[in-house]
Structure formats: structure tokens, C-alpha cells
């Protein structure tokens, strides 16, 4: 799925399970971390644009280097070194990483029906432990669109109710502004509804 969908899904886990900012940050980072093995695309495209010898970092390493147990354990270790101390929080980091794998497993197919995105769970050491789902839907499928819309709606609802959005991972000030704005909109909508269903004159 797209990085935005992964981020929203991991934020739903983080916001629902802990109020600690550092823990939330690392649960969300774990939710997007597997895709660091796709960053080779920048090198491939740069080499192509500069007319250098072509490289194949993206097709070779994306989903092989970090989309597995190795990536999960490295992410948990980095989170621990970065100050995530509670065991439950580290478990959530691990689970958030695997939620990403699950999302890719079900909905990351290429344009052709046979173009499955496989998970190399034991990569980058071996191709054993590779698996895929034959009903995997396309990356740009309506299912992913629907899931993303649902996550956006969920995030807005929780932001209004609990007063924190994914923006809080970046800036508390921006987050407060967003929360105030959303709550004002909700009050305006509620006021407009009351006017519409008020007694007829
Ligand atoms: Zn991925």
C-alpha cells in the first residue's frame, strides 16, 4: 500500500495504544520503515537521468532487504536505542512493522494479475520463507482507496475527540492548530444542523 496508508494505519495503532509521544513516533516509523528498501529507486533514476550505467537497486532490493523479520528486529533495536523502554511499546513497534507487511501482502499487486508483490520474510539472507497471496489486489485497487478513506475518517474523528493527530509527530504547535480548526468546523456543522432542524417560522 502507499506510504500514506501505512502511516495512517500505524498512527491508528499508536494513538489507540499509548499516549507517550516517543512511543507513538516509533510505532509510526515502524509502520513505514519496511519501505526504506525501496529508496534505491532514487539512485536508479538519478543514474538514468545522468546517463550513467543503469542500476537495478529498486527491483533487486525492494521487498527483499527490509520487508521481513530482519527489518523488524533492526527497527525494534533502533527504537530501543532511541529511548523506547517499555516492553509493550517495543511489541507495538514490532506489530506495527508487521501490519505494514500484512498490508503489502494483501494489497500491493502490480498492474498485471500475475504481478504479485511477494514477502521475503527471511530476506535479505535467503529467498526461503517467501510467500504471497494469490488474491492480492492491485496497489491502485479500490480496496486500498477504501481503506485509506476509512483511515482518514478514523484519524479525523479521533483527532477531534482526543485532541491529537499525526501532525503531533512533527510539531505540537501545528497539531494544536489542526485540532482547534477541526473542532471549530465540527461546532459550525452542528450549529448549522440545529438551525436546519429548528422550529419552522
Ligand atoms: Zn512495503
Amino acid at each position: 500500500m502507499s506510504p500514506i496508508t501505512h502511516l495512517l494505519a500505524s498512527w491508528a495503532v499508536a494513538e489507540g495504544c499509548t499516549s507517550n509521544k516517543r512511543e507513538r513516533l516509533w510505532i509510526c516509523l515502524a509502520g513505514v520503515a519496511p519501505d526504506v528498501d525501496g529508496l534505491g529507486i532514487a539512485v536508479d533514476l538519478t543514474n538514468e537521468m545522468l546517463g550513467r550505467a543503469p542500476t537495478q537497486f529498486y527491483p533487486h532490493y525492494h521487498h527483499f532487504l527490509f520487508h521481513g523479520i530482519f527489518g523488524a528486529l533492526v527497527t525494534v533495536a533502533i527504537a530501543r536505542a532511541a529511548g523506547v523502554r517499555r516492553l509493550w511499546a517495543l511489541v507495538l513497534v514490532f506489530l506495527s512493522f508487521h501490519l505494514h507487511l500484512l498490508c503489502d501482502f494483501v494489497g500491493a499487486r502490480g498492474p498485471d494479475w500475475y504481478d504479485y508483490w511477494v514477502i521475503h520474510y527471511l530476506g535479505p539472507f535467503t529467498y526461503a520463507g517467501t510467500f504471497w497471496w494469490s488474491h492480492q489486489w492491485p496497489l491502485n485497487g479500490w480496496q486500498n482507496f477504501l481503506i485509506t478513506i476509512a483511515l482518514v475518517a478514523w484519524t479525523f474523528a479521533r483527532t477531534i475527540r482526543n485532541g491529537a493527530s499525526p501532525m503531533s509527530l512533527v510539531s505540537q504547535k501545528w497539531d494544536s492548530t489542526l485540532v482547534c480548526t477541526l473542532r471549530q468546523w465540527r461546532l459550525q456543522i452542528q450549529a448549522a444542523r440545529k438551525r436546519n432542524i429548528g422550529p419552522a417560522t
Side-chain angles (χ1 to χ4, degrees):
M1 293 184 186
S2 79
I4 298 291
T5 310
H6 288 306
L7 179 65
L8 291 172
S10 57
W11 170 255
V13 174
E15 194 271 337
C17 295
T18 177
S19 57
N20 180 285
K21 282 182 192 171
R22 191 192 302 265
E23 290 175 0
R24 283 182 171 180
L25 174 65
W26 278 95
I27 291 167
C28 287
L29 287 176
V32 295
D35 282 339
V36 296
D37 62 14
L39 294 179
I41 196 169
V43 180
D44 293 343
L45 290 175
T46 303
N47 286 336
E48 190 180 321
M49 280 192 296
L50 296 178
R52 295 177 182 160
T55 51
Q56 299 283 320
F57 288 111
Y58 184 76
H60 283 165
Y61 294 115
H62 189 40
H63 277 215
F64 182 56
L65 200 62
F66 220 61
H67 278 71
I69 186 66
F70 167 72
L73 294 177
V74 168
T75 303
V76 169
I78 294 173
R80 178 69 184 83
V84 178
R85 306 211 182 282
R86 286 196 311 144
L87 177 61
W88 175 236
L90 292 170
V91 170
L92 289 171
V93 168
F94 186 80
L95 292 178
S96 178
F97 190 99
H98 280 75
L99 179 60
H100 179 119
L101 300 187
L102 177 65
C103 289
D104 282 357
F105 177 71
V106 298
R109 207 186 72 208
D112 296 313
W113 68 268
Y114 53 83
D115 198 6
Y116 299 118
W117 263 125
V118 302
I119 300 290
H120 301 292
Y121 195 67
L122 299 181
F125 307 107
T126 171
Y127 283 99
T130 295
F131 57 91
W132 64 92
W133 187 40
S134 58
H135 299 290
Q136 187 180 78
W137 58 74
L139 189 60
N140 61 352
W142 62 266
Q143 299 92 335
N144 285 356
F145 183 72
L146 205 61
I147 290 169
T148 305
I149 293 291
L151 284 169
V152 168
W154 175 262
T155 302
F156 275 131
R158 297 285 290 188
T159 298
I160 291 168
R161 184 181 157 191
N162 297 336
S165 76
M167 193 69 81
S168 64
L169 302 173
V170 182
S171 161
Q172 201 56 52
K173 191 178 166 190
W174 294 352
D175 184 58
S176 299
T177 304
L178 179 64
V179 171
C180 286
T181 304
L182 290 175
R183 285 179 171 169
Q184 278 175 1
W185 286 354
R186 183 182 63 170
L187 288 174
Q188 287 169 0
I189 291 169
Q190 287 174 339
R193 270 195 196 150
K194 275 183 188 167
R195 279 198 301 274
N196 287 339
I197 62 173
T201 55

